[in-house]
Short mmCIF file of all heavy atoms in Angstrom, two decimals:
data_model
loop_
_atom_site.label_atom_id
_atom_site.label_comp_id
_atom_site.label_asym_id
_atom_site.label_seq_id
_atom_site.Cartn_x
_atom_site.Cartn_y
_atom_site.Cartn_z
N PHE N 267 28.78 -49.98 26.52
CA PHE N 267 28.08 -48.99 25.72
C PHE N 267 28.97 -47.78 25.51
O PHE N 267 29.81 -47.45 26.36
CB PHE N 267 26.73 -48.58 26.35
CG PHE N 267 26.80 -48.34 27.83
CD1 PHE N 267 27.10 -47.08 28.33
CD2 PHE N 267 26.58 -49.39 28.72
CE1 PHE N 267 27.16 -46.85 29.70
CE2 PHE N 267 26.65 -49.18 30.10
CZ PHE N 267 26.94 -47.92 30.58
N ASP N 277 18.68 -43.37 23.93
CA ASP N 277 18.82 -42.92 25.32
C ASP N 277 19.43 -41.53 25.29
O ASP N 277 20.33 -41.26 24.47
CB ASP N 277 19.74 -43.88 26.09
CG ASP N 277 19.66 -43.68 27.59
OD1 ASP N 277 20.12 -42.64 28.09
OD2 ASP N 277 19.12 -44.57 28.27
N ALA N 279 21.47 -40.28 27.17
CA ALA N 279 22.92 -40.30 27.49
C ALA N 279 23.73 -40.13 26.21
O ALA N 279 24.84 -39.59 26.24
CB ALA N 279 23.29 -41.61 28.17
N ILE N 285 22.71 -34.28 31.96
CA ILE N 285 21.85 -35.28 32.59
C ILE N 285 22.00 -35.12 34.09
O ILE N 285 23.11 -35.24 34.63
CB ILE N 285 22.25 -36.72 32.17
CG1 ILE N 285 22.28 -36.84 30.65
CG2 ILE N 285 21.27 -37.72 32.74
CD1 ILE N 285 22.70 -38.22 30.17
N LYS N 286 20.88 -34.82 34.74
CA LYS N 286 20.92 -34.61 36.19
C LYS N 286 21.11 -35.97 36.89
O LYS N 286 20.94 -37.03 36.28
CB LYS N 286 19.61 -33.96 36.66
CG LYS N 286 19.39 -32.58 36.10
CD LYS N 286 20.49 -31.63 36.50
CE LYS N 286 20.07 -30.71 37.59
NZ LYS N 286 21.11 -29.71 37.92
N HIS N 288 21.08 -39.34 38.45
CA HIS N 288 20.15 -40.45 38.19
C HIS N 288 20.83 -41.78 38.52
O HIS N 288 22.05 -41.87 38.61
CB HIS N 288 19.71 -40.45 36.73
CG HIS N 288 20.84 -40.69 35.76
ND1 HIS N 288 21.77 -39.73 35.45
CD2 HIS N 288 21.23 -41.80 35.08
CE1 HIS N 288 22.66 -40.21 34.60
NE2 HIS N 288 22.35 -41.49 34.36
N THR N 289 20.01 -42.80 38.68
CA THR N 289 20.52 -44.17 38.72
C THR N 289 20.23 -44.74 37.34
O THR N 289 19.19 -44.45 36.75
CB THR N 289 19.78 -45.00 39.79
OG1 THR N 289 18.37 -44.88 39.58
CG2 THR N 289 20.13 -44.53 41.18
N ASP N 290 21.14 -45.56 36.83
CA ASP N 290 20.93 -46.12 35.49
C ASP N 290 19.93 -47.27 35.53
O ASP N 290 19.91 -48.06 36.48
CB ASP N 290 22.25 -46.66 34.92
CG ASP N 290 22.90 -45.67 33.98
OD1 ASP N 290 22.61 -44.46 34.09
OD2 ASP N 290 23.69 -46.10 33.12
N ASN N 291 19.13 -47.34 34.50
CA ASN N 291 18.29 -48.52 34.21
C ASN N 291 17.39 -48.98 35.36
O ASN N 291 17.31 -50.19 35.65
CB ASN N 291 19.18 -49.71 33.81
CG ASN N 291 20.02 -49.45 32.58
OD1 ASN N 291 20.59 -50.38 32.02
ND2 ASN N 291 20.13 -48.20 32.13
N GLN N 301 28.21 -49.64 38.09
CA GLN N 301 28.53 -49.09 36.77
C GLN N 301 29.97 -48.59 36.74
O GLN N 301 30.46 -48.03 37.72
CB GLN N 301 27.59 -47.93 36.43
CG GLN N 301 27.86 -47.35 35.07
CD GLN N 301 26.84 -46.35 34.55
OE1 GLN N 301 26.99 -45.81 33.48
NE2 GLN N 301 25.80 -46.11 35.32
N LEU N 303 32.37 -46.17 34.29
CA LEU N 303 32.40 -45.26 33.13
C LEU N 303 33.85 -44.85 32.92
O LEU N 303 34.47 -44.25 33.82
CB LEU N 303 31.54 -44.02 33.39
CG LEU N 303 30.04 -44.11 33.08
CD1 LEU N 303 29.35 -42.80 33.49
CD2 LEU N 303 29.78 -44.41 31.60
N ARG N 377 13.91 -38.79 33.76
CA ARG N 377 13.62 -38.96 32.33
C ARG N 377 12.60 -40.05 32.08
O ARG N 377 11.98 -40.10 31.04
CB ARG N 377 14.91 -39.39 31.59
CG ARG N 377 15.88 -38.30 31.36
CD ARG N 377 17.14 -38.88 30.73
NE ARG N 377 18.03 -39.49 31.69
CZ ARG N 377 18.95 -40.40 31.38
NH1 ARG N 377 19.06 -40.82 30.15
NH2 ARG N 377 19.75 -40.89 32.30
N PHE N 422 30.94 -46.91 40.33
CA PHE N 422 30.01 -46.53 41.41
C PHE N 422 28.89 -47.55 41.55
O PHE N 422 28.51 -48.24 40.60
CB PHE N 422 29.46 -45.12 41.21
CG PHE N 422 28.91 -44.86 39.84
CD1 PHE N 422 27.56 -45.07 39.57
CD2 PHE N 422 29.73 -44.42 38.81
CE1 PHE N 422 27.04 -44.84 38.31
CE2 PHE N 422 29.22 -44.21 37.54
CZ PHE N 422 27.88 -44.42 37.29
N ASN N 424 25.47 -48.43 41.51
CA ASN N 424 24.35 -47.82 40.79
C ASN N 424 23.04 -47.85 41.58
O ASN N 424 22.09 -47.18 41.21
CB ASN N 424 24.19 -48.53 39.44
CG ASN N 424 23.13 -47.91 38.59
OD1 ASN N 424 23.14 -46.70 38.34
ND2 ASN N 424 22.17 -48.71 38.13
N HIS N 429 24.55 -40.57 39.50
CA HIS N 429 25.56 -39.90 38.70
C HIS N 429 24.89 -38.98 37.69
O HIS N 429 23.71 -39.15 37.38
CB HIS N 429 26.46 -40.91 38.00
CG HIS N 429 25.72 -41.77 36.99
ND1 HIS N 429 24.82 -42.73 37.36
CD2 HIS N 429 25.75 -41.79 35.63
CE1 HIS N 429 24.33 -43.32 36.29
NE2 HIS N 429 24.87 -42.76 35.21
N GLY N 430 25.68 -38.04 37.19
CA GLY N 430 25.15 -37.11 36.18
C GLY N 430 26.28 -36.47 35.43
O GLY N 430 27.46 -36.74 35.68
N TYR N 447 28.47 -52.63 33.08
CA TYR N 447 27.93 -52.96 34.40
C TYR N 447 28.52 -54.27 34.91
O TYR N 447 28.77 -55.19 34.13
CB TYR N 447 26.41 -53.12 34.34
CG TYR N 447 25.68 -51.94 33.76
CD1 TYR N 447 25.02 -52.01 32.54
CD2 TYR N 447 25.64 -50.73 34.46
CE1 TYR N 447 24.34 -50.92 32.02
CE2 TYR N 447 24.97 -49.63 33.95
CZ TYR N 447 24.32 -49.74 32.72
OH TYR N 447 23.66 -48.66 32.21
ZN1 LIG A 242 23.71 -42.80 33.50
#
Side-chain angles (χ1 to χ4, degrees):
F267 44 89
D277 194 291
I285 306 178
K286 296 300 257 184
H288 64 284
T289 52
D290 262 24
N291 300 193
Q301 181 170 178
L303 274 177
R377 284 175 279 158
F422 50 92
N424 184 53
H429 64 289
Y447 305 112

